[in-house]
Amino acid sequence: MFEVFLKEVKELLRDRKTLFFVIALPIVIFPVLFALLALLASKTTLEAEQKVHTYYIANAHLAPEFEERLFYHKSFKPYEGEERFESEQALVDAVRAGKIDVGVVIPNQFELGQPLTEQSRWQIVFNDAQSINFVYKRLETLIYKFAAQIRATSLKALGVPQSQHKALLTPIAVTKVDTADKRENYGEKIGAFIPYMLIPLVLMGASYPAIDLGAGEKERGTLETLLLTPVTRTQLVLGKFLTVLASSIACAVVTVSSLAVWIGIASGFGVLDSIKEAFASVSIWDYVLIFALLLPVAVMLSSLVLAISIYARTFKEAQNYMGPLSMLVFVPIVVSLMPNMSLTSLTAWIPITNVSLAIKEIIKGTVDYGAVAMIFVASALLAGALLTCCVRWFSRETVLFR
């Protein structure tokens, strides 16, 4: 078995494609890709926030002070065309036509300086599908500040001392006291995305070598030669399996190590300092637990991809089978990202979902070690069953010589 393993490893190390997918791609391309995506996202967000948006106020004469505030705001400029949009529908049509970016409708009943008899409802017209919701927030803030000024004037006219305005308008102030520490907060927000990255990496690291060791051997006609050697089929398939498993784990370890190095470099320039500080309390024991949970997952996925590869007639056919498998792996990971999904006695038995939830709890620092032990046992039993099926699959002549 180990002779087969060493032979397969040597062949994979001679294959430039394998080295690229397992080593070069995780070390260089993934971190660079993530950095470019982050740079592009920050750049587009900054450009969108700095863009000056064209506005139009219907019935602007009813609130000249608000119009003046909006005129001098750095993010807005008035519409300079000849057309007039004095109704909600006219503003909707103008926004859809691209003549303005946002419109404000001041109702005809609004009279500045008059005693307030009822609530005045202003409307902000914009296209929320264009991801400019912060424009709405800015306008809403301006309107609330203008409303606060009107409120203060009205209360003063009623004879209420200014010192009592705050207590009268907000008799009870609520202060949030968060019992979660920084690690738990960050762990809840981004801890669920760590398995979303790690488990697909485990699958990717196993897929290419498995295709080459199964369908690739068939296509090259070397599988028959291996079967003639004085090695049992069980030893042969286990040797191939160990090669696929080693490649799978190596891909995940190399990628995570590479990302850790890049994050350390970014932290040296003052970037991601808060995240680095939050995860400083994650101990070596926690990382060992994460690796221990990923190990049976790697065994599961390596067994599956090797069985698929052995079944396929050609390299291309095996690649076609890997697509649906990738989707099936993503589904339980996505389930773990759903709101209110937590590690319970029920979710602890759902394959891959249980590991994803456990990794999130480990990152948060709120893990139940009893549940982790249960998950490890359940995953190990499933991994053993899948490996047994893979060995039996390899022993069938109808599979090997399709």
Side-chain angles (χ1 to χ4, degrees):
M1 179 178 69
F2 290 104
E3 288 80 2
V4 176
F5 169 68
L6 292 175
K7 172 254 182 191
E8 299 293 0
V9 168
K10 288 178 182 178
E11 288 187 0
L12 285 178
L13 292 177
R14 294 192 192 105
D15 189 351
R16 293 181 179 179
K17 290 182 179 179
T18 301
L19 294 178
F20 175 77
F21 279 104
V22 177
I23 299 176
L25 191 67
I27 288 179
V28 179
I29 295 182
F30 280 157
V32 171
L33 181 62
F34 292 151
L36 288 176
L37 288 174
L39 179 63
L40 180 62
S42 61
K43 183 180 178 181
T44 52
T45 302
L46 183 62
E47 289 177 352
E49 290 182 349
Q50 291 178 342
K51 182 181 177 181
V52 179
H53 296 274
T54 304
Y55 72 87
Y56 186 92
I57 304 177
N59 300 322
H61 63 281
L62 298 177
E65 193 171 329
F66 171 75
E67 182 184 18
E68 183 180 358
R69 289 190 182 195
L70 191 55
F71 179 82
Y72 286 108
H73 196 286
K74 64 179 181 179
S75 299
F76 298 99
K77 64 179 180 180
Y79 172 69
E80 298 176 350
E82 298 294 331
E83 295 183 65
R84 291 291 171 264
F85 317 109
E86 298 300 331
S87 66
E88 177 191 346
Q89 187 58 48
L91 285 172
V92 169
D93 294 338
V95 170
R96 287 176 176 172
K99 297 175 183 178
I100 60 173
D101 296 318
V102 63
V104 180
V105 181
I106 301 177
N108 293 320
Q109 296 80 10
F110 182 78
E111 295 185 32
L112 187 62
Q114 299 297 321
L116 298 176
T117 57
E118 61 180 13
Q119 188 180 53
S120 180
R121 294 187 176 273
W122 294 23
Q123 295 173 304
I124 300 175
V125 181
F126 73 109
N127 188 346
D128 198 18
Q130 294 180 350
S131 300
I132 56 172
N133 193 50
F134 57 85
V135 175
Y136 173 81
K137 293 295 184 183
R138 288 172 181 169
L139 272 174
E140 186 181 42
T141 301
L142 281 174
I143 292 173
Y144 282 163
K145 287 182 178 179
F146 180 62
Q149 182 181 345
I150 296 173
R151 185 168 57 241
T153 303
S154 300
L155 289 173
K156 188 176 181 180
L158 292 172
V160 180
Q162 188 172 358
S163 59
Q164 296 181 12
H165 288 186
K166 189 174 183 180
L168 183 63
L169 296 173
T170 313
I172 298 176
V174 179
T175 303
K176 180 176 71 173
V177 179
D178 192 358
T179 60
D181 57 17
K182 188 178 291 186
R183 174 180 173 180
E184 189 173 347
N185 275 323
Y186 276 106
E188 179 63 32
K189 292 178 177 65
I190 66 175
F193 291 95
I194 292 178
Y196 193 81
M197 178 187 69
L198 287 177
I199 295 176
L201 282 173
V202 169
L203 177 60
M204 188 192 76
S207 297
Y208 184 80
I211 293 173
D212 185 66
L213 296 180
E217 294 270 15
K218 280 186 177 182
E219 204 166 22
R220 292 190 299 269
T222 56
L223 182 61
E224 291 84 350
T225 305
L226 283 174
L227 293 174
L228 292 174
T229 59
V231 179
T232 65
R233 292 192 179 184
T234 300
Q235 292 174 329
L236 185 59
V237 70
L238 288 178
K240 289 179 178 292
F241 164 76
L242 288 177
T243 307
V244 175
L245 180 62
S247 174
S248 172
I249 295 173
C251 182
V253 170
V254 168
T255 305
V256 173
S257 303
S258 175
L259 284 174
V261 171
W262 283 101
I263 289 173
I265 293 172
S267 300
F269 292 98
V271 184
L272 305 176
D273 279 343
S274 58
I275 296 179
K276 184 179 179 182
E277 181 184 351
F279 283 92
S281 56
V282 181
S283 65
I284 298 298
W285 170 245
D286 293 325
Y287 290 115
V288 171
L289 271 182
I290 292 174
F291 179 79
L293 287 171
L294 283 176
L295 189 57
V297 173
V299 174
M300 289 182 213
L301 298 179
S302 298
S303 302
L304 282 173
V305 294
L306 185 58
I308 290 172
S309 178
I310 293 169
Y311 176 77
R313 294 187 183 92
T314 62
F315 197 97
K316 185 176 181 180
E317 184 181 345
Q319 286 181 319
N320 293 335
Y321 291 148
M322 295 301 169
L325 177 62
S326 300
M327 295 301 298
L328 289 175
V329 170
F330 270 108
V331 169
I333 301 176
V334 172
V335 169
S336 68
L337 295 174
M338 291 181 177
N340 297 324
M341 280 296 295
S342 59
L343 190 57
T344 63
S345 57
L346 177 62
T347 56
W349 293 97
I350 304 176
I352 298 181
T353 299
N354 54 6
V355 174
S356 301
L357 292 172
I359 291 176
K360 182 177 75 170
E361 294 295 328
I362 291 171
I363 298 298
K364 288 172 59 179
T366 58
V367 65
D368 180 359
Y369 293 105
V372 170
M374 184 192 306
I375 291 169
F376 183 83
V377 171
S379 299
L381 289 174
L382 180 58
L386 289 174
L387 180 57
T388 302
C389 292
C390 180
V391 172
R392 292 188 177 182
W393 195 244
F394 194 83
S395 302
R396 297 180 63 179
E397 299 287 339
T398 54
V399 173
L400 292 178
F401 304 105
R402 288 180 67 236

